[in-house]
Amino acid sequence: MIKLIGVAIVILGFALKLDNIAIILVAGLVTGLVGGMDIVKILETLGNSFVANRGMAIFVVVMLVTGTLERNGLREMAAKLIGKIKNATAGMVIGAYGVLRLILAAFNVSLGGTAGFVRPVVMPMATGAVEAKHGSVDEKHLEELKGMSSGMENITWFFGQVLFVGGSGALLVQSTLKGLGYETELGALATVELPVALFALVVGAVMYFFKDKRLSKTLYGQKK
Amino acid sequence: MQFFMDPKVLLGAKLLECLYILMGIIAGYAGVKTLFEKEHKAKIGTAVFWISLAVVLAFGRWIPKMVNGILVVVMAIPAVLRQVKPGADRSATKAETKAKADKIGYKIFVPTLMMGTFAILFAVFTKISPLVGVGVGVIVAAILLMVFSRDNKPTTFLDDSKRLLDTVGPLSMLPMLLAALGAIFTAAGVGQVIASLVGKVIPQGNMTVGIIVFAIAMPLFTMIMGNAFAAITVITVGIGGPFVLALGADPTVIGMLALTCGYCGTLCTPMAANFNIVPVAILDMKGRYNVIKNQLVPAGIILAFQICYMLIAK
């Protein structure tokens, strides 16, 4: 029972928003000690596992080009691509962003997140679509559009990234399973997620499309 | 050098070490460059963090295990003390990126897709790790970018990667540290203890019940911890292993989908502040939980889909 103290430290520590890295180190140290390991053994296990999992730092290599891709106009061209849809509703703009983000996430590329892309690009396009139809944007509609854009952003990022062969999620799963004695392949781990990613994209896009459509109908009804 | 000359070592293993050395160079550049910045708020801490990381990444294979462990702790200290900070922001101005966009156009998507493409090619056609494919893709992408514009010099790439490393900071090490914690848990025998506890609550030997409990425990624990990566190591060892995988279920399907079941929990919790609360501030929203409210229903539907998928494909 006492061995669970590390699990308790992790759960409580994360829940209380203490420093994540400190929690992990303390949990590891305490668990090791109550589990009968000495400091040397704990440090060896830590070092050994960290080196064995260096693959999870693959993002370091990817960053060698992502920053320069931004510098060379990736965001501008992504915005131009979304803007190609004719007579788009706000819901369609959000859906199109979801499609693009899911595809790019599968190639391990982000357009800059909420601050880098949603606020400067997606929101103006979505509100622009509403203004073209209704003249101005209702406050409640605006709030919901922001919520839906962020939702789309998160859903497609989470479920798109797992399609990237060698993403950190799959590597963590692989190393956890290896600890239990099961060998898995990175390609197969990504393939398994394909139906989930497509389903998640469709659910998000369809739901937000109809929600926007409903808001667009109900909020502006009386004025016309 | 002996390692790289030894004919008995597989080519894939050698290439993987080259990739780790490249990672070390990039992280090391970020650390050394920090030392030369005039107006940096936490010069020493930041440099210690990135340089010790660089040493473990590049040379971990040849360093004794215990020294690696000490280096990881040394790396973590400035992070815990909040002494790892970004340097001056040198991102391109809007006018610069606009000019580049006009010049390069949609061609920019070609290098963008290189990393993923080469990862898939390596996974399908070679026995070499797809991670090496990612590395090759990065190099191809960099060459393309240099062809597109003469302004992209080798130092441009290194400086841009330093800027991005500054933005993600020490928390980017979370998956590796969690994996290490998982290793300590396993070595200390935590899994058996959880398994015997859970065994008192759910019947052993019933795979369907095991899968459902595993698939629901993941999002629940993720919601409490705010991080699916933290949940997956603990829950897989405690529930996934003894109650699902030990009965002969497919580890690829069950293990991987458990992580994305956890992601459904991430969509529902204010604990995942980066995704669910920070955007509220960035977008000037009125309701603190309006991002989460828009994610609850999709998260529930996607979780249900995944549970069915696990039960069918087990």
Side-chain angles (χ1 to χ4, degrees), chain A residues 58 61, chain B residues 15 19 22 114-115 118-119 122 128-143:
Chain A
I58 189 71
V61 176
Chain B
L15 288 172
L19 181 75
L22 177 62
M114 279 302 129
M115 288 85 80
F118 275 92
F122 271 64
I128 301 172
S129 166
L131 294 180
V132 176
V134 176
V136 173
V138 165
I139 293 166
V140 174
I143 293 172

Side-chain angles (χ1 to χ4, degrees), chain A residues 1 3-4 6-7 10-11 14-17 19-22 24-25 27-28 31-32 35 37 40 42-51 53-74 76-78 80-81 84 104 107 109 114-115 118-119 123 139 143-144 146-148 150-151 154-155 157-159 162 164-166 168-173 175-177 179-180 182 184 186-189 191-193 195-196 199-200 203 207-208 211, chain B residues 17 19-20 23 26 56-57 60 65-66 68-70 72-73 75-76 79-80 82 90 92 97 100-101 104-106 108-109 112-113 115-117 119 130-131 134 138 142 145 152 156-157 160-161 163-165 168 170-181 183-185 187-190 193-194 197 221 224-225 229 232-234 236 245-246 251-252 255-257 259-260 263 266-267 271 275-276 279 282-287 290-291 294-295 297-298 301-302 305-306 309:
Chain A
M1 266 312 264
K3 285 182 189 171
L4 291 183
V7 179
V10 173
I11 294 173
F14 274 86
L16 294 173
K17 297 212 174 292
D19 185 86
N20 290 355
I21 293 176
I24 294 169
L25 290 182
T31 306
M37 300 157 80
V40 174
I42 295 171
L43 280 174
E44 280 182 356
T45 313
L46 175 66
N48 200 31
S49 163
F50 202 85
V51 169
N53 287 307
R54 281 176 294 169
M56 289 176 192
I58 189 71
F59 70 90
V60 174
V61 176
V62 175
M63 281 180 176
L64 193 57
V65 286
T66 35
T68 310
L69 284 169
E70 272 172 27
R71 183 180 292 280
N72 287 272
L74 178 62
E76 280 76 4
M77 295 320 293
K80 208 169 163 188
L81 200 62
K84 286 219 159 167
L104 289 178
F107 288 90
V109 177
T114 318
V118 172
R119 190 187 159 111
M123 280 312 296
E139 216 169 90
E143 175 83 4
E144 291 300 326
K146 288 173 179 174
M148 289 190 276
S150 305
N154 286 335
I155 292 170
W157 183 242
F158 293 178
F159 294 96
V162 285
F164 180 65
V165 182
S168 55
L171 284 163
L172 185 57
V173 168
S175 93
T176 309
L177 290 173
L180 296 172
Y182 301 100
T184 47
L186 291 178
L189 289 173
T191 315
V192 162
E193 290 288 356
V196 181
F199 184 79
V203 167
M207 254 199 62
Y208 294 156
K211 184 169 181 179
Chain B
E17 281 311 318
L19 181 75
Y20 295 143
M23 281 179 191
I26 299 167
V56 180
L57 287 176
K65 280 190 243 176
M66 197 181 83
N68 276 324
I70 293 171
V72 173
V73 175
M75 173 189 91
V80 171
R82 313 220 171 262
R90 293 217 169 69
T97 55
K100 283 284 186 315
I104 298 172
Y106 286 117
I108 193 72
F109 285 110
T112 304
L113 301 180
M115 288 85 80
T117 309
L131 294 180
V134 176
V138 165
L145 282 168
N152 298 325
T156 316
F157 293 100
D160 278 336
S161 62
R163 177 168 58 85
L164 289 184
L165 283 177
V168 294
L171 280 187
S172 58
M173 287 300 123
L174 218 50
M176 289 164 83
L177 290 168
L178 284 165
L181 180 63
I184 295 177
F185 278 178
V190 171
V193 182
I194 303 182
L197 272 183
F221 274 79
I224 298 169
M225 299 189 204
F229 282 3
I232 189 90
T233 42
V234 179
T236 304
L245 298 177
T252 307
M256 191 64 208
L257 289 180
L259 180 72
T260 36
Y263 286 179
T266 317
L267 291 173
M271 297 300 302
F275 298 110
N276 297 334
I282 296 176
L283 296 175
D284 303 318
M285 292 171 67
K286 295 197 181 65
N290 267 359
V291 173
N294 274 294
Q295 292 173 165
V297 178
I301 298 174
I302 299 165
F305 174 84
Q306 293 192 85
Y309 183 9

Side-chain angles (χ1 to χ4, degrees), chain B residues 22-40:
Chain B
L22 177 62
M23 281 179 191
I25 293 172
I26 299 167
Y29 181 86
V32 174
K33 180 103 182 171
T34 301
L35 284 177
F36 291 99
E37 276 180 50
K38 281 197 183 102
E39 288 165 22
H40 199 287

Side-chain angles (χ1 to χ4, degrees), chain A residues 2 5 13 18 24 41 46 57 61 65 77 94 115 126 131 153 157 160 162 165 183 207-208 216 218 221 224:
Chain A
I2 185 78
I5 189 164
L18 303 178
I24 294 169
K41 186 86 180 55
L46 175 66
V61 176
V65 286
M77 295 320 293
I94 294 170
E131 278 160 4
E153 160 100 2
W157 183 242
V162 285
V165 182
E183 293 291 337
M207 254 199 62
Y208 294 156
S216 190
T218 52
K224 282 198 174 176

Side-chain angles (χ1 to χ4, degrees), chain B residues 76-131:
Chain B
I77 292 169
V80 171
L81 298 175
R82 313 220 171 262
Q83 287 304 308
V84 182
K85 294 195 172 135
D89 188 4
R90 293 217 169 69
S91 49
T93 61
K94 271 218 167 123
E96 280 169 10
T97 55
K98 177 84 178 50
K100 283 284 186 315
D102 290 340
K103 183 176 166 235
I104 298 172
Y106 286 117
K107 267 190 303 184
I108 193 72
F109 285 110
V110 179
T112 304
L113 301 180
M114 279 302 129
M115 288 85 80
T117 309
F118 275 92
I120 294 170
L121 288 177
F122 271 64
V124 175
F125 295 110
T126 72
K127 287 212 166 64
I128 301 172
S129 166
L131 294 180

Side-chain angles (χ1 to χ4, degrees), chain B residues 183-249:
Chain B
I184 295 177
F185 278 178
T186 312
V190 171
Q192 289 95 313
V193 182
I194 303 182
S196 71
L197 272 183
V198 180
K200 288 177 187 152
V201 187
I202 63 171
Q204 209 147 16
N206 186 331
M207 202 195 280
T208 307
V209 175
I211 288 175
I212 294 172
V213 171
F214 187 29
I216 291 175
M218 268 307 297
L220 280 183
F221 274 79
T222 303
M223 283 172 72
I224 298 169
M225 299 189 204
N227 191 312
F229 282 3
I232 189 90
T233 42
V234 179
I235 306 298
T236 304
V237 172
I239 301 178
F243 296 94
V244 185
L245 298 177
L247 305 177

